[in-house]
């Protein structure tokens, strides 16, 4: 794992934790910021897509693992999602101006622990590959027809898909809460219209 990959991993971790920890509105900027960050960061680190041997399989499995971890990181066990009819960015509320209705998430130590553990595991594997088990890893990669670039891409795809599916999971849960809240209002308006 090169210094560039380490920087990318830490940048993704910092962006996700900064945008998600605590009580936060689920809006386009919040959901899209990690996606934009990934789009800006990855071209600097992604050099090629090896297709020989089992490289495609490794890269695909890494992307799927990242997707599963991203969705798990925003599951109800780690992140609660609710509806706030009077959302304001500042807390406690210091202004008498009414806020806007919004889907809001709350996450804490469990959410941070998942992201930090995954990042630490990637760093641990990279360190071990260079200093603890380089010969064993080399034999494994040769036996299974894997390249170093394929392995590096696997790390990149894991990080990228985890971040993208975290955004997708938040967007879906936030949309579900907004639609559920809008349902009674629409139903009440429809009933009122029929009564007239």
């Amino acid at each position: 794992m090169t210094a560039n990959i380490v920087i990318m991993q830490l940048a993704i971790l910092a962006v996700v934790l900064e945008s998600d920890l605590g009580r936060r509105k689920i809006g386009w900027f919040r959901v899209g910021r990690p996606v934009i960050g990934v789009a800006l960061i990855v071209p600097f680190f992604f050099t090629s897509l090896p297709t020989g041997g089992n490289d495609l399989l490794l890269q695909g499995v890494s992307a799927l693992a990242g997707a599963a971890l991203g969705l798990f990181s925003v599951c109800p066990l780690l992140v609660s999602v609710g509806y706030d009819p009077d959302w304001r960015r500042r807390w406690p509320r210091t202004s008498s101006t009414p806020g806007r209705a919004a889907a809001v998430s709350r996450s804490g130590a469990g959410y941070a622990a998942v992201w930090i553990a995954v990042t630490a595991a990637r760093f641990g594997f990279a360190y071990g590959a260079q200093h603890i088990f380089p010969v064993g890893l080399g034999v494994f990669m040769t036996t299974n027809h894997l390249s170093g670039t394929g392995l590096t891409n696997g790390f990149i795809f894991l990080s990228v898909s985890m971040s993208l599916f975290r955004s997708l999971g938040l967007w879906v849960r936030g949309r579900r809460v907004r639609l559920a809240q809008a349902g009674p209002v629409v139903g009440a308006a429809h009933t009122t219209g029929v009564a007239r």
Side-chain angles (χ1 to χ4, degrees):
M1 185 179 288
T2 64
N4 289 340
I5 301 297
V6 170
I7 292 168
M8 183 193 77
Q9 305 282 343
L10 291 175
I12 289 174
L13 176 65
V15 166
V16 168
L17 292 182
E18 188 280 326
S19 67
D20 288 347
L21 286 180
R23 185 173 182 268
R24 303 293 177 105
K25 174 185 172 185
I26 301 174
W28 284 109
F29 181 71
R30 178 169 168 220
V31 170
R33 185 169 36 175
V35 175
I36 293 167
V38 164
L40 293 175
I41 292 170
V42 168
F44 293 103
F45 306 106
F46 185 76
T47 56
S48 66
L49 181 68
T51 58
N54 290 318
D55 284 333
L56 277 179
L57 178 63
L58 173 64
Q59 294 165 107
V61 167
S62 297
L64 288 174
L69 287 167
L71 290 174
F72 173 72
S73 74
V74 293
C75 75
L77 179 67
L78 301 172
V79 178
S80 63
V81 174
Y83 186 80
D84 188 341
D86 189 27
W87 166 257
R88 298 177 206 191
R89 186 167 176 81
R90 295 183 181 211
W91 189 264
R93 297 180 171 121
T94 56
S95 170
S96 60
T97 307
R100 297 177 64 185
V104 179
S105 71
R106 184 183 302 270
S107 62
Y111 178 82
V114 168
W115 281 89
I116 291 169
V118 169
T119 302
R122 286 191 300 254
F123 287 155
F125 179 83
Y127 179 83
Q130 293 176 344
H131 302 289
I132 299 172
F133 48 82
V135 174
L137 179 61
V139 170
F140 175 81
M141 290 177 65
T142 302
T143 304
N144 292 285
H145 309 289
L146 299 170
S147 69
T149 303
L151 184 61
T152 300
N153 286 355
F155 281 117
I156 293 171
F157 291 163
L158 181 82
S159 299
V160 167
S161 66
M162 187 173 177
S163 182
L164 294 177
F165 277 83
R166 159 257 171 220
S167 291
L168 177 64
L170 277 177
W171 180 78
V172 167
R173 291 187 65 202
R175 181 172 168 78
R176 189 177 300 150
V177 165
R178 286 191 302 273
L179 289 175
Q181 193 63 31
V185 174
V186 171
H190 180 69
T191 303
T192 304
V194 170
R196 288 180 184 172

